Amino acid sequence: MNAAALTRSRIFPLALGLGALAAAILAVEALIRIGVINRFIVPLPSQIALAFERVIVEEDIAGRFRLTLFEAFTAGAMITVVGVSVGLLLFRINILRQATETWVAALASAPTVLMYPLFLVIFGRSAWTIIMMGFVAGVPPVILKTIEGLTGTRRVLINVGKSFNLTGPQLFAKILFPAALPTIFVGIRLGLIFTLINVVGVEFLINFGGLGQLINDLAERYDLPGTYAAISFVILVSVCFFVLTEWIERWLRPVD
Amino acid sequence: MPSVATLPKSGAAGAQTAADAGILVVDGIVKQFDTPEGPLVAVDRVSLSVRPGEFLAVIGPSGCGKSTLFNVIGGLIDRYQGAVTVGGETVRGPHPAIGMVFQEESTFPWRTVIENVAFPLEIAGIARKERLEKAKRFIALVGLNGFENRYPAELSGGMRQRVAIARTLASEPKILLMDEPFASLDEQTRLLLGDKVLQIQQDLQQTTLLITHNITEAVQLADRILVMTYRPGRVKRMVEIDLPRPRSSDVVSSEAFGRYVAEIWSDLREEATRGMQDEESRTLHAGAAS
Ligand SMILES: Nc1ncnc2c1ncn2[C@@H]1O[C@H](COP(=O)(O)OP(=O)(O)OP(=O)(O)O)[C@@H](O)[C@H]1O
Ligand SMILES: [Mg+2]
């Protein structure tokens, strides 16, 4: 098989990715065993693998996974609905947009996680504090990318719509929105990253709820293999999200 | 398309001087753009009256304001002087009797070929089955059978342009404005498609305005040719093409055809030369300034 055929096959890139991951893990294992990496800071990958069973059985990982997934999903749905709506509003009302776009961009790069005490006061030590923190962190990129996508719609496509006498709402639903969709999804993906980081981070900080709290617990018990095993589940949550957004995007707008 | 039947057909077919005989009347259009280098007059005092069912070709050097004129007629630009009337009704915004094919790539990348072509029918509220059937006919007409379920990204530039043509034809506009629709096609496809568009135009008695850079194409298809000047875009000449219809491709070899082509070419060469000199001096100035 030549290189082109390998690139075309669906299995090969996946196998290559997993292979590289396995190789990296083996390398880390080897480096720890020969003493290049301190085993009291980074646990052996083989120990982490063994810790999975313990974490799953003893720490109610399924329940925690569900809770973190629920919090991240709720916050993710909120950033999508609110972010796209606000983006749309700012796109329609030019003066509002000029007045606020810089602020939204500033908020996007602000370490909002530091505001957690304020949210604790408002929402108490509950899942809502975590959801709202995830929401605040993830919503700016959705707003910004929604505006960018709508503004970036090619002039001629809008003219096609106008020449077919589309009404304002039709022009939006049939042309502006589908044209902006790929960019909007970039924003949603970006927003979900921030949301997930903040959800797990705040769980960790306020010691409440799902996987973040577990990571906190295990780290405090100095159970490093367990900590890393728990982190793997956070990665799993993020994988779930990316698969989901990809499905939704394909369903809303098949290929380009 | 509600106004098709109600549009007045008064006046003798040949009387282009009487404004009321025109289904489409353009009266003293001046369109000026504000550019960083100051105001730029793109279209200057253009007036014309198009007879019902007439095929008018518009020809002129690049940048002379042809597309701008079409955008004014199509109701896509505002803030111009003068007036455009369709069937006696002043145009403010896009008129339902006018259909447009744009110069730029204009297919919807998120729709398949058939969904693109069926778009105006969908907007008109025609049932799915019926509109897809109708769209298929127009796809066949532009020679894209078998590509119904492909996305524009999977087609060549010329094929995409044909999708755009089919989409506008599917809306069966009473007045059709086409901005260099055949520009990205090879000579053979261009001829075949030109024949087909002409045939539909004759069948439906569609009033057609066509922008082209191809003099042969203009003479072959049009009843009249509007030659525009280079910047500001004015009417240089209106040439009546008095060749018999239906025109087959052997009209090209007739002596009269050759005379029309030569005549328009000499007009156009003058303008094109002026345009080139203008561009050259501008780049020289820009070069000297920097
Ligand atoms: N939106 C705009 N803003 C500023 N200037 C414009 C705008 N649209 C067109 N122009 C200018 O108006 C002039 C006429 O443009 P137009 O597109 O009508 O030319 P054209 O005759 O269609 O040319 P071509 O044959 O190359 O398509 C050009 O000089 C162009 O730079
Ligand atoms: Mg043009």
Side-chain angles (χ1 to χ4, degrees):
Chain A
M1 254 204 299
N2 58 20
L6 286 177
T7 321
R8 244 179 286 124
S9 93
R10 278 161 54 122
I11 307 292
F12 184 72
L14 190 69
L16 190 68
L18 289 177
L21 186 65
I25 290 171
L26 282 177
V28 172
E29 178 95 20
L31 288 173
I32 296 170
R33 281 186 191 275
I34 58 175
V36 177
I37 298 176
N38 187 332
R39 68 171 65 204
F40 296 105
I41 297 173
V42 182
L44 282 164
S46 53
Q47 278 181 338
I48 298 175
L50 290 175
F52 268 97
E53 194 201 346
R54 177 160 46 81
V55 169
I56 291 170
V57 176
E58 291 171 16
E59 311 288 351
D60 181 27
I61 199 88
R64 290 173 182 278
F65 182 78
R66 268 202 305 273
L67 183 56
T68 301
L69 197 67
F70 162 76
E71 289 162 350
F73 185 82
T74 310
M78 281 165 60
I79 64 167
T80 305
V81 172
V82 176
V84 173
S85 314
V86 173
L88 218 154
L89 192 75
L90 295 190
F91 169 73
R92 294 304 291 267
I93 307 172
N94 213 354
I95 179 81
L96 218 59
R97 173 173 147 207
Q98 284 167 6
T100 54
E101 205 172 1
T102 329
W103 292 104
V104 178
L107 186 65
S109 52
T112 45
V113 69
L114 297 179
M115 300 199 309
Y116 82 91
L118 175 69
F119 282 71
L120 265 181
V121 172
I122 301 174
F123 297 101
R125 207 166 142 266
S126 71
W128 277 105
T129 296
I130 295 164
I131 292 168
M132 291 312 288
M133 290 293 304
F135 167 74
V136 170
V139 79
V142 184
I143 298 176
L144 293 174
K145 283 285 169 186
T146 301
I147 297 174
E148 187 188 313
L150 292 170
T151 339
T153 305
R154 282 169 53 224
R155 187 84 235 154
V156 68
L157 297 186
I158 297 171
N159 278 345
V160 170
K162 285 188 180 162
S163 80
F164 286 132
N165 294 281
L166 265 64
T167 60
Q170 279 177 326
L171 199 64
F172 179 78
K174 303 260 179 204
I175 294 178
L176 280 166
F177 187 68
L181 210 56
T183 317
I184 293 177
F185 264 87
V186 171
I188 293 176
R189 292 225 181 83
L190 222 65
L192 282 178
I193 295 174
F194 292 154
T195 296
L196 194 63
I197 291 174
N198 274 263
V199 163
V200 178
V202 176
E203 279 181 350
F204 185 100
L205 275 174
I206 70 173
N207 205 12
F208 180 89
L211 296 170
Q213 185 194 25
L214 178 62
I215 293 168
N216 191 354
D217 270 6
L218 294 168
E220 261 163 28
R221 279 186 251 151
Y222 214 69
D223 179 356
L224 286 186
T227 308
Y228 281 85
I231 290 173
S232 305
F233 280 94
V234 176
I235 295 172
L236 195 62
V237 174
S238 118
V239 169
C240 288
F241 268 87
F242 277 78
V243 171
L244 186 70
T245 48
E246 231 157 61
W247 275 354
I248 294 175
E249 187 175 6
R250 215 169 300 151
W251 171 67
L252 278 174
R253 179 183 163 168
V255 292
D256 215 327
Chain B
M1 306 285 115
S3 46
V4 172
T6 56
L7 291 172
K9 285 202 171 178
S10 60
Q16 78 264 36
T17 39
D20 61 347
I23 184 175
L24 171 68
V25 178
V26 173
D27 186 19
I29 294 294
V30 180
K31 175 64 199 177
Q32 183 172 317
F33 287 112
D34 294 320
T35 65
E37 296 93 52
L40 177 123
V41 181
V43 177
D44 191 23
R45 283 166 287 164
V46 170
S47 298
L48 53 104
S49 167
V50 188
R51 306 180 286 248
E54 185 181 21
F55 199 124
L56 177 78
V58 179
I59 204 161
S62 181
C64 77
K66 305 180 293 295
S67 299
T68 307
L69 177 64
F70 269 32
N71 285 338
V72 168
I73 296 173
L76 298 174
I77 312 187
D78 47 12
R79 283 184 298 167
Y80 56 84
Q81 292 159 41
V84 176
T85 54
V86 172
E89 191 183 316
T90 303
V91 165
R92 287 186 191 81
H95 193 283
I98 296 179
M100 300 181 81
V101 177
F102 294 89
Q103 183 173 18
E104 304 98 316
E105 220 282 89
S106 68
T107 51
F108 300 130
W110 58 89
R111 285 174 171 251
T112 59
V113 168
I114 195 161
E115 288 167 349
N116 260 287
V117 176
F119 181 77
L121 309 170
E122 183 182 320
I123 298 303
I126 294 169
R128 184 178 165 81
K129 191 159 172 283
E130 198 182 324
R131 69 175 185 247
L132 291 185
E133 254 161 40
K134 196 169 173 190
K136 270 212 182 89
R137 286 213 309 278
F138 283 94
I139 290 169
L141 196 79
V142 297
L144 286 177
N145 338 42
F147 290 93
E148 287 85 354
N149 296 316
R150 300 291 192 86
Y151 284 91
E154 302 170 283
L155 306 180
S156 74
M159 289 160 94
R160 285 199 281 254
Q161 190 59 15
R162 283 187 270 163
V163 173
I165 295 171
R167 182 178 59 190
T168 304
L169 290 178
S171 70
E172 297 182 341
K174 189 66 189 161
I175 301 172
L176 182 60
L177 306 184
M178 294 195 284
D179 195 343
E180 294 191 48
F182 311 135
S184 50
L185 302 177
D186 62 80
E187 193 59 31
Q188 295 84 302
T189 317
R190 174 199 287 268
L191 283 172
L192 289 173
L193 201 54
D195 278 352
K196 279 180 180 163
V197 168
L198 190 61
Q199 199 190 326
I200 302 170
Q201 188 262 340
Q202 299 284 318
D203 287 353
L204 295 179
Q205 278 299 298
Q206 243 166 354
T207 307
T208 305
L209 278 71
L210 171 84
I211 295 178
T212 175
H213 281 135
N214 189 323
I215 303 174
T216 320
E217 182 179 285
V219 177
Q220 205 179 346
L221 297 175
D223 297 311
R224 277 190 301 164
I225 299 179
L226 165 70
V227 184
M228 287 181 72
T229 62
Y230 178 76
R231 250 179 243 173
R234 297 199 182 111
V235 177
K236 185 175 176 82
R237 216 141 74 85
M238 193 61 114
V239 185
E240 190 92 28
I241 305 297
D242 200 5
L243 293 171
R245 282 197 195 274
R247 291 178 195 162
S248 54
S249 28
D250 40 281
V251 74
V252 178
S253 52
S254 75
E255 193 207 336
F257 190 93
R259 245 183 294 124
Y260 282 125
V261 172
E263 191 182 326
I264 292 163
W265 172 229
S266 78
D267 275 344
L268 216 52
R269 186 169 45 194
E270 222 174 270
E271 292 307 317
T273 315
R274 218 156 57 77
M276 297 246 291
Q277 280 165 353
D278 187 51
E279 296 288 338
E280 261 168 36
S281 70
R282 209 189 304 233
T283 41
L284 282 181
H285 280 303
S290 62

